[in-house]
Amino acid sequence: DMGLPDNIANIEKVDDYTVKVTLKEVNAPFLQNLAMPFAYIDSAEYAKSLLDAGKAADLNTKPVGTGPFVFTSYQKDSQIRYTKNPDYWNKDDIHIDNLVFVITKDSAVRAQKVQAGECHVSAYANPSEVESAKASGKANVLEEPGFNVGYIAYNTERPELKDVKVRAALDMAINKDALIDAVYQGAGVKTANPMPPTQWGFNDQLKDAPYDVEKAKALMAEAGVKGFDIDLWYMPVQRPYNPNAKLMAEMLQADWAKIGVKANLKTFEWGEYLKRANKGEHDIILAGWTGDNGDPDNWLGVLLSCDAVNGNNYARWCNKDFDKLIMDARSNTNQEQRIANYKQAQVIFKQELPWTTVANSVVTVLTTPNVKDYKISPLGSIRFDGVDIE
């Protein structure tokens, strides 16, 4: 999605602690991209042994890395177990001997387990569960503005969705205030942008079109469309940027019915959902993103560039003017010039509407009172280095 394979000219070992990467072209976000989880250090010997044995996929389910905890076992849909890594570079910061991720899909059950002292940390709480946890006095409630965006992506390769007037009609027919009140329940802020306001390069001049069903109908008529059936995919899991995708999909279905669009609701197992979305099998999809590294390219390039079609560009939108701004910014180390490019790119995004942007959410984590020094990561990960139990 970032176009890295085509830009890496050479990789060489300098010494035991240094790797030198030579690029064909300047890539301003390159170092920040390398700090993302996909670029963690693997054992070359282990990877080769798996390849030779025809078991390359075991790299995902039986990992060998360099992190603070050592993977010990994984039971599908049940739990993942780790132990403290005695060889970690900063081992004095690791206070937990045994770390267990208990896979619990129901957020209400997760919240109850924390309040009952059956687990120490629970993420992705529903807003109603947060209020209950606060009232119980049996859990600490940690909250931070999320470095995220929840959105609705229109597959612009679909005949019904190619016309920007149709996308604008769908966008204008959404009662976004009602959507945010019902789905986020006070833990989400309406957004017009494809990245959060805490990201440098954010264009604070963008505005949403007003909610206007009659104008939406008129736009459909201008496009020569009387109505159509469409599949709307909603995620089967809670995410920080969307705590209740099924409810959001049901509300969209009701909104779009008012302009003659019948949305058929569909979902899949989470891994299958993402795999099918990468291939562009959807018509309209609920999605979102939590920033990985603090660079605007992580939003505009990874999610909306031509390179990212067949990847995270679920709108399958490839706009040459937008793409030139993104690619020029990617190859420019002058931050002011990059900001100018990104602000203009956001204007094009809003004019073309490959997405309806919905909200930036508040991220909440519940912990038992004896958990010490747990911090919410702005980049969406659940980290236990530095965390202790009193």
Side-chain angles (χ1 to χ4, degrees), residues 19-260:
V19 171
K20 180 179 179 181
V21 182
T22 304
L23 304 179
K24 297 173 186 175
E25 299 174 351
V26 172
N27 187 298
F30 182 72
L31 286 177
Q32 285 172 270
N33 289 338
L34 275 194
M36 289 162 57
F38 81 87
Y40 70 91
I41 299 169
D42 269 317
S43 160
E45 294 82 3
Y46 178 55
K48 183 177 185 305
S49 72
L50 292 178
L51 285 168
D52 291 346
K55 296 180 178 179
D58 281 1
L59 197 67
N60 292 321
T61 54
K62 299 174 183 176
V64 176
T66 58
F69 298 97
V70 178
F71 169 83
T72 58
S73 66
Y74 166 48
Q75 291 175 270
K76 184 174 170 59
D77 295 329
S78 176
Q79 61 180 236
I80 312 172
R81 289 180 171 269
Y82 301 87
T83 55
K84 180 177 178 177
N85 181 0
D87 299 316
Y88 186 56
W89 68 274
N90 191 19
K91 61 186 177 184
D92 290 343
D93 199 37
I94 311 306
H95 311 297
I96 299 167
D97 293 320
N98 293 286
L99 177 63
V100 184
F101 281 78
V102 179
I103 299 168
T104 310
K105 295 182 180 180
D106 188 320
S107 65
V109 174
R110 294 198 299 269
Q112 288 164 8
K113 281 179 176 288
V114 170
Q115 291 169 71
E118 294 175 21
C119 73
H120 296 102
V121 177
S122 172
Y124 310 139
N126 267 331
S128 59
E129 294 151 10
V130 172
E131 293 310 309
S132 175
K134 286 179 179 177
S136 76
K138 295 178 180 178
N140 290 336
V141 179
L142 310 179
E143 295 176 300
E144 294 284 348
F147 192 54
N148 61 42
V149 62
Y151 62 89
I152 304 154
Y154 305 109
N155 186 338
T156 58
E157 293 179 349
R158 292 288 188 264
E160 304 90 344
L161 301 172
K162 280 184 175 179
D163 192 329
V164 68
K165 287 182 180 178
V166 174
R167 300 197 297 273
L170 290 168
D171 177 80
M172 199 172 284
I174 298 169
N175 186 341
K176 199 187 277 191
D177 289 332
L179 203 69
I180 289 171
D181 285 346
V183 174
Y184 295 88
Q185 297 179 32
V189 179
K190 184 164 64 173
T191 183
N193 296 60
M195 58 192 198
T198 47
Q199 173 64 66
W200 62 265
F202 179 86
N203 187 337
D204 61 6
Q205 300 303 303
L206 294 194
K207 297 286 186 288
D208 277 334
Y211 168 55
D212 190 331
V213 174
E214 294 308 312
K215 179 73 182 296
K217 288 178 181 176
L219 280 171
M220 293 279 279
E222 283 180 37
V225 176
K226 291 183 179 178
F228 51 86
D229 284 20
I230 206 87
D231 287 345
L232 169 61
W233 291 16
Y234 65 91
M235 61 198 75
V237 294
Q238 285 174 277
R239 303 298 292 162
Y241 45 74
N242 191 333
N244 194 337
K246 186 171 188 285
L247 176 59
M248 185 181 289
E250 290 166 349
M251 294 182 73
L252 291 171
Q253 185 182 50
D255 282 345
W256 288 339
K258 296 172 186 173
I259 61 169

Side-chain angles (χ1 to χ4, degrees), residues 144-151 189-204 206 241 288-300 303 343 346 349 355 357-363 378-379:
E144 294 284 348
F147 192 54
N148 61 42
V149 62
Y151 62 89
V189 179
K190 184 164 64 173
T191 183
N193 296 60
M195 58 192 198
T198 47
Q199 173 64 66
W200 62 265
F202 179 86
N203 187 337
D204 61 6
L206 294 194
Y241 45 74
W289 193 254
T290 296
D292 291 302
N293 61 26
D295 193 280
D297 186 77
N298 186 240
W299 306 89
L300 304 182
L303 303 179
K343 287 189 173 182
Q346 288 166 82
F349 163 86
W355 303 351
T357 50
V358 180
N360 309 123
S361 77
V362 174
V363 175
L379 306 180

